Amino acid sequence: MAEMIGKRLVLGVTGGIAAYKAAELARRLVKDGAEVHAVLTRAGAQFVTPVTFQALTGRPVWCDQWDARMPDNMAHIALSREADAIVIAPASADFLAKLAHGLADDLLSTLCLARACPLLVAPAMNRQMWENPATQRNIRQLREDGIIVLGPASGAQACGETGMGRMLEPEAIHDAVAGFFQPKTLAGRRVLLTAGPTFEALDPVRGLTNLSSGKMGFALARAARDAGAEVTLVSGPVALPAPCGVTRVDVTSALEMHAAVMQRVAACDVFIGVAAVADYRPVERADEKLKKDDAHDMLRQIALTANPDILAEVAARPAPPFCVGFAAESRDLERYAEDKRRKKRLALVVGNLLRDGLGGDENAVILFDEQGRHPLGPAAKIDIARGIVAHIGAMLTGKESHKESL
Ligand code: C5P
Protein backbone atom coordinates (compact mmCIF):
# COMPACT_ATOMS: atom_id res chain seq x y z
CA MET A 1 0.00 0.00 0.00
CA ALA A 2 1.60 3.24 -1.11
CA GLU A 3 -1.36 5.57 -1.26
CA MET A 4 0.58 8.80 -1.34
CA ILE A 5 3.05 8.27 -4.16
CA GLY A 6 3.62 11.58 -5.94
CA LYS A 7 2.12 13.65 -3.12
CA ARG A 8 4.32 16.46 -1.87
CA LEU A 9 3.63 17.47 1.72
CA VAL A 10 4.96 20.16 4.01
CA LEU A 11 4.96 18.80 7.56
CA GLY A 12 4.95 21.69 10.03
CA VAL A 13 6.05 20.94 13.58
CA THR A 14 5.33 23.55 16.24
CA GLY A 15 6.27 23.68 19.92
CA GLY A 16 4.48 21.07 21.98
CA ILE A 17 5.46 17.81 23.63
CA ALA A 18 3.45 15.95 20.97
CA ALA A 19 6.26 16.97 18.56
CA TYR A 20 7.89 13.63 19.34
CA LYS A 21 4.92 11.93 17.66
CA ALA A 22 5.47 14.04 14.53
CA ALA A 23 8.61 11.97 13.88
CA GLU A 24 6.48 8.82 13.67
CA LEU A 25 3.99 10.65 11.45
CA ALA A 26 6.83 11.69 9.09
CA ARG A 27 7.99 8.06 8.92
CA ARG A 28 4.48 6.80 8.10
CA LEU A 29 3.91 9.43 5.40
CA VAL A 30 7.26 8.65 3.77
CA LYS A 31 6.59 4.90 3.94
CA ASP A 32 3.30 5.56 2.17
CA GLY A 33 5.12 7.19 -0.74
CA ALA A 34 4.78 10.89 0.14
CA GLU A 35 7.58 13.41 -0.38
CA VAL A 36 7.77 15.09 3.03
CA HIS A 37 9.39 18.49 3.62
CA ALA A 38 9.63 19.15 7.35
CA VAL A 39 9.44 22.73 8.59
CA LEU A 40 10.05 23.29 12.30
CA THR A 41 9.29 26.41 14.31
CA ARG A 42 11.92 27.49 16.84
CA ALA A 43 9.84 26.04 19.65
CA GLY A 44 9.26 22.84 17.65
CA ALA A 45 13.01 22.37 17.28
CA GLN A 46 13.34 22.61 21.07
CA PHE A 47 11.35 19.38 21.37
CA VAL A 48 12.78 17.33 18.47
CA THR A 49 15.90 18.23 16.52
CA PRO A 50 15.84 18.85 12.77
CA VAL A 51 18.27 15.94 12.33
CA THR A 52 15.51 13.50 13.32
CA PHE A 53 13.27 14.74 10.50
CA GLN A 54 16.15 14.94 8.04
CA ALA A 55 16.95 11.27 8.69
CA LEU A 56 13.31 10.17 8.47
CA THR A 57 12.36 12.17 5.37
CA GLY A 58 15.71 11.98 3.57
CA ARG A 59 15.43 15.70 2.79
CA PRO A 60 16.72 18.99 4.13
CA VAL A 61 14.71 20.38 7.04
CA TRP A 62 13.69 24.04 7.18
CA CYS A 63 13.56 26.12 10.36
CA ASP A 64 14.54 29.62 9.39
CA GLN A 65 13.06 32.28 7.14
CA TRP A 66 16.58 33.51 6.34
CA ASP A 67 17.99 30.10 5.41
CA ALA A 68 20.91 30.73 3.02
CA ARG A 69 20.37 27.37 1.28
CA MET A 70 17.50 28.88 -0.71
CA PRO A 71 19.22 30.89 -3.50
CA ASP A 72 16.51 33.56 -3.82
CA ASN A 73 15.76 33.57 -0.08
CA MET A 74 12.12 32.66 -0.80
CA ALA A 75 11.75 29.40 1.13
CA HIS A 76 8.20 30.31 2.09
CA ILE A 77 7.17 30.65 -1.55
CA ALA A 78 9.10 27.69 -2.94
CA LEU A 79 7.94 25.27 -0.23
CA SER A 80 4.29 26.26 -0.28
CA ARG A 81 3.86 26.57 -4.07
CA GLU A 82 4.94 23.04 -4.80
CA ALA A 83 3.04 21.39 -1.94
CA ASP A 84 -0.14 19.34 -2.41
CA ALA A 85 -0.99 20.03 1.23
CA ILE A 86 0.49 21.47 4.41
CA VAL A 87 0.00 19.37 7.55
CA ILE A 88 0.77 20.96 10.92
CA ALA A 89 1.24 18.35 13.66
CA PRO A 90 1.37 19.26 16.43
CA ALA A 91 -0.34 22.64 16.02
CA SER A 92 0.11 24.59 19.28
CA ALA A 93 -2.49 27.02 20.64
CA ASP A 94 -0.11 29.86 19.81
CA PHE A 95 0.36 28.70 16.23
CA LEU A 96 -3.39 28.27 15.69
CA ALA A 97 -3.90 31.82 16.98
CA LYS A 98 -1.31 33.08 14.50
CA LEU A 99 -3.01 31.23 11.64
CA ALA A 100 -6.44 32.56 12.63
CA HIS A 101 -5.11 36.12 12.46
CA GLY A 102 -2.93 35.74 9.39
CA LEU A 103 0.31 36.48 11.19
CA ALA A 104 3.51 35.68 9.35
CA ASP A 105 6.47 36.17 11.68
CA ASP A 106 8.40 32.96 11.05
CA LEU A 107 8.97 30.56 8.16
CA LEU A 108 6.06 28.18 8.91
CA SER A 109 3.42 30.87 9.47
CA THR A 110 4.67 32.75 6.39
CA LEU A 111 4.43 29.74 4.16
CA CYS A 112 0.93 28.98 5.50
CA LEU A 113 -0.11 32.52 4.56
CA ALA A 114 1.55 32.23 1.15
CA ARG A 115 0.02 28.82 0.38
CA ALA A 116 -2.15 27.92 -2.57
CA CYS A 117 -2.87 24.41 -1.25
CA PRO A 118 -5.07 22.85 1.48
CA LEU A 119 -3.97 23.15 5.11
CA LEU A 120 -4.64 20.48 7.75
CA VAL A 121 -3.89 21.08 11.43
CA ALA A 122 -3.72 18.61 14.34
CA PRO A 123 -4.07 20.69 17.53
CA ALA A 124 -2.18 19.61 20.66
CA MET A 125 -2.37 21.44 23.96
CA ASN A 126 -3.41 21.34 27.59
CA ARG A 127 -7.18 20.89 28.05
CA GLN A 128 -7.64 24.31 29.61
CA MET A 129 -5.83 25.97 26.71
CA TRP A 130 -8.07 24.03 24.31
CA GLU A 131 -11.24 25.02 26.15
CA ASN A 132 -10.24 28.68 26.41
CA PRO A 133 -12.77 30.80 24.49
CA ALA A 134 -9.92 32.42 22.56
CA THR A 135 -8.73 29.03 21.23
CA GLN A 136 -12.30 27.95 20.46
CA ARG A 137 -12.85 31.23 18.60
CA ASN A 138 -9.65 30.68 16.63
CA ILE A 139 -10.68 27.11 15.73
CA ARG A 140 -14.07 28.34 14.48
CA GLN A 141 -12.27 30.95 12.39
CA LEU A 142 -9.88 28.38 10.95
CA ARG A 143 -12.78 26.10 9.99
CA GLU A 144 -14.55 29.03 8.40
CA ASP A 145 -11.38 29.74 6.42
CA GLY A 146 -11.51 26.18 5.04
CA ILE A 147 -8.70 24.81 7.18
CA ILE A 148 -9.20 21.16 8.15
CA VAL A 149 -8.94 20.52 11.88
CA LEU A 150 -7.96 16.94 12.79
CA GLY A 151 -8.94 16.12 16.37
CA PRO A 152 -7.85 16.78 19.05
CA ALA A 153 -8.51 13.65 21.09
CA SER A 154 -9.36 13.34 24.73
CA GLY A 155 -7.19 11.49 27.26
CA ALA A 156 -4.17 11.67 29.54
CA GLN A 157 -1.98 14.71 28.94
CA ALA A 158 1.75 15.27 29.42
CA CYS A 159 0.97 17.82 32.16
CA GLY A 160 -0.70 15.10 34.24
CA GLU A 161 -4.23 16.31 33.56
CA THR A 162 -6.89 14.43 31.58
CA GLY A 163 -9.15 15.97 28.98
CA MET A 164 -9.56 17.29 25.47
CA GLY A 165 -6.46 18.53 23.68
CA ARG A 166 -4.27 15.48 23.06
CA MET A 167 -2.93 15.30 19.53
CA LEU A 168 -4.44 12.48 17.43
CA GLU A 169 -2.13 9.49 17.17
CA PRO A 170 0.22 9.50 14.14
CA GLU A 171 -1.71 6.61 12.55
CA ALA A 172 -4.99 8.54 12.72
CA ILE A 173 -3.37 11.70 11.27
CA HIS A 174 -1.77 9.65 8.51
CA ASP A 175 -5.14 8.04 7.69
CA ALA A 176 -6.87 11.43 7.63
CA VAL A 177 -4.23 12.92 5.30
CA ALA A 178 -4.36 9.89 2.97
CA GLY A 179 -8.18 10.08 3.04
CA PHE A 180 -8.12 13.76 2.22
CA PHE A 181 -6.68 12.97 -1.20
CA GLN A 182 -9.34 10.38 -2.08
CA PRO A 183 -12.07 11.21 -4.64
CA LYS A 184 -15.32 12.21 -2.89
CA THR A 185 -17.54 9.66 -4.63
CA LEU A 186 -19.95 9.37 -1.67
CA ALA A 187 -20.11 13.07 -0.74
CA GLY A 188 -23.33 13.88 1.12
CA ARG A 189 -24.35 10.20 1.49
CA ARG A 190 -25.12 8.56 4.83
CA VAL A 191 -23.64 5.10 5.13
CA LEU A 192 -24.57 2.53 7.78
CA LEU A 193 -22.34 -0.55 8.11
CA THR A 194 -22.18 -3.68 10.23
CA ALA A 195 -18.79 -5.29 10.93
CA GLY A 196 -17.09 -8.04 12.91
CA PRO A 197 -18.58 -11.19 14.41
CA THR A 198 -21.47 -11.47 16.85
CA PHE A 199 -21.25 -13.31 20.17
CA GLU A 200 -24.22 -15.39 21.23
CA ALA A 201 -23.99 -15.98 24.97
CA LEU A 202 -24.65 -19.29 26.69
CA ASP A 203 -23.77 -18.04 30.14
CA PRO A 204 -21.78 -15.04 31.50
CA VAL A 205 -18.46 -16.37 30.13
CA ARG A 206 -19.26 -18.73 27.24
CA GLY A 207 -20.87 -18.27 23.88
CA LEU A 208 -20.94 -19.00 20.15
CA THR A 209 -19.01 -16.78 17.78
CA ASN A 210 -16.88 -16.92 14.61
CA LEU A 211 -13.44 -15.85 13.39
CA SER A 212 -14.43 -12.61 11.66
CA SER A 213 -11.74 -10.01 12.45
CA GLY A 214 -13.78 -6.95 11.52
CA LYS A 215 -10.88 -5.70 9.34
CA MET A 216 -12.87 -5.56 6.09
CA GLY A 217 -15.80 -3.70 7.70
CA PHE A 218 -13.50 -1.21 9.41
CA ALA A 219 -11.57 -0.68 6.15
CA LEU A 220 -14.88 -0.01 4.38
CA ALA A 221 -15.94 2.46 7.07
CA ARG A 222 -12.67 4.32 6.52
CA ALA A 223 -12.97 4.20 2.72
CA ALA A 224 -16.57 5.51 2.89
CA ARG A 225 -15.52 8.32 5.24
CA ASP A 226 -12.63 9.21 2.93
CA ALA A 227 -15.11 9.30 0.00
CA GLY A 228 -17.03 12.02 1.84
CA ALA A 229 -19.82 9.97 3.46
CA GLU A 230 -21.22 10.38 6.97
CA VAL A 231 -20.53 6.93 8.40
CA THR A 232 -22.06 4.92 11.26
CA LEU A 233 -20.39 1.62 12.08
CA VAL A 234 -22.27 -0.98 14.12
CA SER A 235 -19.56 -3.33 15.31
CA GLY A 236 -19.58 -6.71 16.99
CA PRO A 237 -16.86 -7.51 19.55
CA VAL A 238 -13.48 -6.69 17.93
CA ALA A 239 -10.40 -4.92 19.28
CA LEU A 240 -10.00 -2.52 16.33
CA PRO A 241 -10.04 1.29 16.70
CA ALA A 242 -12.80 3.03 14.74
CA PRO A 243 -11.55 5.42 12.05
CA CYS A 244 -11.70 8.95 13.33
CA GLY A 245 -14.85 10.82 12.33
CA VAL A 246 -16.87 7.59 12.12
CA THR A 247 -19.73 7.10 14.62
CA ARG A 248 -19.22 3.75 16.29
CA VAL A 249 -21.94 1.69 17.97
CA ASP A 250 -20.68 -1.36 19.87
CA VAL A 251 -22.89 -4.42 20.14
CA THR A 252 -22.35 -8.02 21.18
CA SER A 253 -25.18 -10.27 19.95
CA ALA A 254 -27.07 -10.51 16.65
CA LEU A 255 -30.22 -9.27 18.39
CA GLU A 256 -28.36 -6.17 19.62
CA MET A 257 -26.90 -5.62 16.15
CA HIS A 258 -30.38 -5.98 14.65
CA ALA A 259 -31.81 -3.41 17.10
CA ALA A 260 -28.93 -0.96 16.52
CA VAL A 261 -29.38 -1.19 12.74
CA MET A 262 -33.18 -0.90 12.77
CA GLN A 263 -32.97 2.18 14.96
CA ARG A 264 -30.73 3.94 12.41
CA VAL A 265 -31.64 2.49 9.02
CA ALA A 266 -34.31 5.05 8.11
CA ALA A 267 -31.64 7.75 8.18
CA CYS A 268 -29.17 6.09 5.80
CA ASP A 269 -28.76 6.10 2.03
CA VAL A 270 -26.46 3.07 1.84
CA PHE A 271 -26.45 -0.04 4.04
CA ILE A 272 -23.45 -2.37 3.90
CA GLY A 273 -23.74 -5.65 5.82
CA VAL A 274 -20.18 -6.81 6.34
CA ALA A 275 -20.69 -8.43 9.73
CA ALA A 276 -20.52 -12.19 10.06
CA VAL A 277 -23.78 -12.36 11.97
CA ALA A 278 -24.38 -15.67 13.77
CA ASP A 279 -27.26 -17.42 12.05
CA TYR A 280 -28.38 -19.07 15.31
CA ARG A 281 -28.29 -18.25 19.03
CA PRO A 282 -28.83 -20.44 22.09
CA VAL A 283 -32.49 -20.55 23.10
CA GLU A 284 -31.50 -20.05 26.74
CA ARG A 285 -28.83 -17.98 28.41
CA ALA A 286 -27.89 -18.99 31.96
CA ASP A 287 -27.47 -16.15 34.46
CA GLU A 288 -24.79 -18.06 36.38
CA LYS A 289 -21.79 -19.82 34.91
CA LEU A 290 -22.78 -23.35 33.86
CA LYS A 291 -21.07 -26.25 35.65
CA LYS A 292 -20.01 -29.20 33.56
CA ASP A 293 -21.85 -31.66 35.79
CA ASP A 294 -25.09 -29.70 36.09
CA ALA A 295 -28.12 -31.98 35.90
CA HIS A 296 -29.62 -29.96 33.05
CA ASP A 297 -26.48 -29.69 30.95
CA MET A 298 -26.81 -26.83 28.44
CA LEU A 299 -23.18 -27.31 27.44
CA ARG A 300 -23.58 -30.83 26.08
CA GLN A 301 -26.69 -30.08 24.07
CA ILE A 302 -27.26 -26.52 23.01
CA ALA A 303 -30.73 -25.77 21.72
CA LEU A 304 -30.55 -23.07 19.04
CA THR A 305 -32.99 -20.67 17.49
CA ALA A 306 -32.61 -18.57 14.32
CA ASN A 307 -31.42 -14.97 14.46
CA PRO A 308 -33.08 -12.32 12.30
CA ASP A 309 -31.42 -11.74 8.91
CA ILE A 310 -30.55 -8.05 9.32
CA LEU A 311 -29.56 -7.42 5.72
CA ALA A 312 -32.60 -9.20 4.25
CA GLU A 313 -34.88 -7.23 6.56
CA VAL A 314 -33.29 -3.91 5.59
CA ALA A 315 -33.52 -4.75 1.88
CA ALA A 316 -37.20 -5.70 2.28
CA ARG A 317 -38.20 -2.32 3.72
CA PRO A 318 -40.74 -0.31 1.67
CA ALA A 319 -38.13 2.32 0.76
CA PRO A 320 -34.85 0.47 1.28
CA PRO A 321 -31.43 2.11 1.19
CA PHE A 322 -28.91 0.97 -1.44
CA CYS A 323 -28.05 -2.46 0.01
CA VAL A 324 -24.69 -4.23 -0.19
CA GLY A 325 -24.13 -7.73 1.15
CA PHE A 326 -21.08 -9.89 1.66
CA ALA A 327 -20.81 -13.55 0.75
CA ALA A 328 -17.87 -15.39 2.26
CA GLU A 329 -17.90 -18.88 0.83
CA SER A 330 -15.44 -21.75 0.84
CA ARG A 331 -16.80 -23.15 -2.47
CA ASP A 332 -19.15 -22.32 -5.39
CA LEU A 333 -18.72 -18.60 -4.71
CA GLU A 334 -20.33 -17.38 -7.93
CA ARG A 335 -23.46 -19.46 -7.53
CA TYR A 336 -23.98 -18.62 -3.85
CA ALA A 337 -23.21 -14.92 -4.27
CA GLU A 338 -25.58 -14.47 -7.21
CA ASP A 339 -28.21 -16.45 -5.35
CA LYS A 340 -27.85 -14.23 -2.30
CA ARG A 341 -28.10 -11.09 -4.40
CA ARG A 342 -31.37 -12.20 -5.95
CA LYS A 343 -32.94 -13.72 -2.83
CA LYS A 344 -32.10 -10.83 -0.52
CA ARG A 345 -32.83 -8.31 -3.33
CA LEU A 346 -29.48 -6.55 -3.00
CA ALA A 347 -27.99 -3.99 -5.39
CA LEU A 348 -24.53 -5.44 -4.88
CA VAL A 349 -22.90 -8.53 -3.36
CA VAL A 350 -19.21 -8.70 -2.56
CA GLY A 351 -18.12 -12.31 -2.99
CA ASN A 352 -15.13 -13.47 -1.02
CA LEU A 353 -13.65 -16.91 -1.66
CA LEU A 354 -12.27 -18.09 1.68
CA ARG A 355 -8.89 -19.56 0.76
CA ASP A 356 -6.86 -18.80 3.90
CA GLY A 357 -9.75 -18.38 6.31
CA LEU A 358 -10.65 -15.00 7.81
CA GLY A 359 -8.59 -12.24 9.41
CA GLY A 360 -5.81 -11.52 6.86
CA ASP A 361 -4.74 -8.03 5.75
CA GLU A 362 -5.17 -8.81 2.05
CA ASN A 363 -8.16 -9.95 0.10
CA ALA A 364 -9.46 -10.71 -3.39
CA VAL A 365 -13.16 -10.34 -4.10
CA ILE A 366 -15.67 -10.38 -6.94
CA LEU A 367 -18.47 -7.81 -7.07
CA PHE A 368 -21.80 -9.09 -8.36
CA ASP A 369 -24.43 -6.63 -9.58
CA GLU A 370 -27.11 -6.67 -12.25
CA GLN A 371 -24.47 -5.92 -14.89
CA GLY A 372 -22.42 -9.01 -14.05
CA ARG A 373 -19.21 -9.78 -12.20
CA HIS A 374 -16.30 -7.45 -11.45
CA PRO A 375 -13.14 -8.92 -9.86
CA LEU A 376 -11.12 -6.75 -7.43
CA GLY A 377 -7.65 -7.56 -6.07
CA PRO A 378 -5.78 -9.34 -4.64
CA ALA A 379 -4.82 -6.23 -2.70
CA ALA A 380 -4.68 -4.76 0.80
CA LYS A 381 -8.13 -4.62 2.43
CA ILE A 382 -8.13 -0.80 2.38
CA ASP A 383 -7.53 -0.84 -1.40
CA ILE A 384 -10.29 -3.42 -1.87
CA ALA A 385 -12.52 -1.22 0.31
CA ARG A 386 -11.76 1.86 -1.82
CA GLY A 387 -12.61 -0.16 -4.95
CA ILE A 388 -15.97 -1.27 -3.46
CA VAL A 389 -16.77 2.32 -2.41
CA ALA A 390 -15.92 3.63 -5.90
CA HIS A 391 -18.23 0.97 -7.40
CA ILE A 392 -21.07 1.92 -5.03
CA GLY A 393 -20.52 5.62 -5.85
CA ALA A 394 -20.66 4.91 -9.58
CA MET A 395 -23.80 2.76 -9.23
CA LEU A 396 -25.55 5.46 -7.18
CA THR A 397 -24.66 8.19 -9.65
CA GLY A 398 -25.70 5.96 -12.56
CA LYS A 399 -29.03 5.28 -10.86
CA GLU A 400 -29.66 8.96 -10.28
CA SER A 401 -28.77 10.06 -13.80
CA HIS A 402 -31.00 7.25 -15.10
CA LYS A 403 -33.86 8.59 -12.92
CA GLU A 404 -33.25 12.14 -14.13
CA SER A 405 -33.36 11.10 -17.78
CA LEU A 406 -36.77 9.39 -17.35
O1 C5P B 1 -27.00 -15.47 4.01
P1 C5P B 1 -25.64 -15.15 4.50
O2 C5P B 1 -25.53 -15.15 6.00
O3 C5P B 1 -24.53 -15.94 3.87
O4 C5P B 1 -25.44 -13.62 3.99
C1 C5P B 1 -24.33 -12.89 4.33
C2 C5P B 1 -24.69 -11.44 4.28
O5 C5P B 1 -25.87 -11.22 5.06
C3 C5P B 1 -23.64 -10.57 4.94
O6 C5P B 1 -23.66 -9.34 4.25
C4 C5P B 1 -24.11 -10.44 6.36
O7 C5P B 1 -23.63 -9.26 6.98
C5 C5P B 1 -25.60 -10.45 6.22
N1 C5P B 1 -26.31 -11.09 7.33
C6 C5P B 1 -27.12 -10.34 8.17
N2 C5P B 1 -27.83 -10.93 9.17
C7 C5P B 1 -27.75 -12.26 9.37
C8 C5P B 1 -26.94 -13.05 8.53
C9 C5P B 1 -26.22 -12.43 7.53
O8 C5P B 1 -27.19 -9.12 8.00
N3 C5P B 1 -28.43 -12.80 10.37
Side-chain angles (χ1 to χ4, degrees):
M1 183 180 59
E3 293 196 282
M4 273 191 278
I5 288 180
K7 293 284 180 261
R8 194 181 156 119
L9 301 174
V10 168
L11 174 62
V13 180
T14 73
I17 182 56
Y20 82 92
K21 294 189 185 176
E24 169 65 9
L25 174 61
R27 190 192 67 81
R28 281 178 181 270
L29 293 169
V30 169
K31 192 167 165 230
D32 211 4
E35 187 183 311
V36 177
H37 298 261
V39 178
L40 277 58
T41 63
R42 267 170 78 140
Q46 292 289 323
F47 285 92
V48 190
T49 74
V51 178
T52 303
F53 289 96
Q54 188 182 345
L56 290 169
T57 63
R59 296 177 193 280
V61 174
W62 305 90
C63 301
D64 183 7
Q65 233 164 328
W66 317 114
D67 196 318
R69 286 174 297 174
M70 203 56 96
D72 62 359
N73 216 330
M74 296 260 186
H76 61 292
I77 302 293
L79 286 166
S80 75
R81 281 298 171 277
E82 288 157 19
D84 292 301
I86 301 175
V87 182
I88 315 264
S92 65
D94 175 62
F95 196 79
L96 293 172
K98 286 202 323 195
L99 280 180
H101 290 88
L103 293 185
D105 61 357
D106 63 3
L107 177 60
L108 188 58
S109 54
T110 310
L111 75 86
C112 284
L113 200 62
R115 79 183 187 281
C117 65
L119 173 57
L120 298 89
V121 296
M125 67 199 72
N126 162 270
R127 69 180 172 86
Q128 217 108 39
M129 293 170 81
W130 172 253
E131 283 159 16
N132 191 297
T135 304
Q136 289 304 310
R137 192 166 57 237
N138 291 335
I139 289 286
R140 274 195 301 278
Q141 183 63 55
L142 295 178
R143 289 207 172 103
E144 211 170 285
D145 294 346
I147 292 168
I148 294 158
V149 181
L150 307 174
S154 177
Q157 302 202 311
C159 53
E161 295 179 7
T162 304
M164 205 61 180
R166 265 171 75 99
M167 187 174 84
L168 291 186
E169 293 303 320
E171 187 180 0
I173 301 176
H174 163 267
D175 287 358
V177 175
F180 173 78
F181 289 113
Q182 292 300 316
K184 305 299 168 208
T185 46
L186 292 183
R189 314 267 188 198
R190 296 159 304 174
V191 174
L192 180 64
L193 293 118
T194 63
T198 63
F199 181 88
E200 312 299 324
L202 268 163
D203 72 10
V205 294
R206 299 188 184 89
L208 306 178
T209 187
N210 58 65
L211 291 175
S212 166
S213 66
K215 285 180 186 171
M216 195 62 222
F218 278 60
L220 261 164
R222 185 179 148 201
R225 173 205 66 180
D226 292 346
E230 188 188 309
V231 182
T232 304
L233 174 63
V234 178
S235 175
V238 294
L240 298 171
C244 148
V246 164
T247 305
R248 178 184 188 150
V249 182
D250 282 314
V251 296
T252 303
S253 65
L255 285 181
E256 284 172 25
M257 187 173 274
H258 175 264
V261 167
M262 292 311 153
Q263 207 184 328
R264 294 165 177 85
V265 70
C268 80
D269 308 304
V270 178
F271 176 72
I272 315 180
V274 198
V277 187
D279 292 317
Y280 296 94
R281 67 177 182 277
V283 174
E284 277 181 82
R285 178 194 186 278
D287 291 333
E288 302 292 339
K289 188 182 164 196
L290 295 165
K291 307 302 290 177
K292 73 174 172 213
D293 42 6
D294 273 352
H296 170 61
D297 194 349
M298 276 168 60
L299 292 178
R300 219 166 314 151
Q301 249 184 355
I302 306 170
L304 299 174
T305 184
N307 273 325
D309 190 319
I310 304 170
L311 179 60
E313 200 175 313
V314 169
R317 286 171 65 85
F322 182 95
C323 284
V324 183
F326 270 66
E329 306 291 350
S330 52
R331 63 194 161 89
D332 288 338
L333 174 66
E334 313 236 344
R335 186 158 61 84
Y336 286 131
E338 245 323 283
D339 229 40
K340 204 166 293 185
R341 194 177 74 77
R342 293 223 180 85
K343 276 203 190 117
K344 296 200 189 188
R345 288 193 276 154
L346 308 174
L348 182 67
V349 163
V350 180
N352 182 0
L353 191 56
L354 295 170
R355 281 201 200 87
D356 314 314
L358 298 164
D361 289 321
E362 289 224 339
N363 206 353
V365 300
I366 304 172
L367 309 187
F368 297 88
D369 60 18
E370 55 188 10
Q371 307 293 328
R373 60 197 292 288
H374 317 268
L376 262 184
K381 280 186 175 167
I382 184 63
D383 296 328
I384 298 283
R386 296 212 196 282
I388 296 170
V389 161
H391 196 89
I392 296 172
M395 281 182 79
L396 284 169
T397 327
K399 220 167 89 183
E400 270 153 26
S401 54
H402 175 66
K403 249 194 238 159
E404 274 160 26
S405 65
L406 289 177

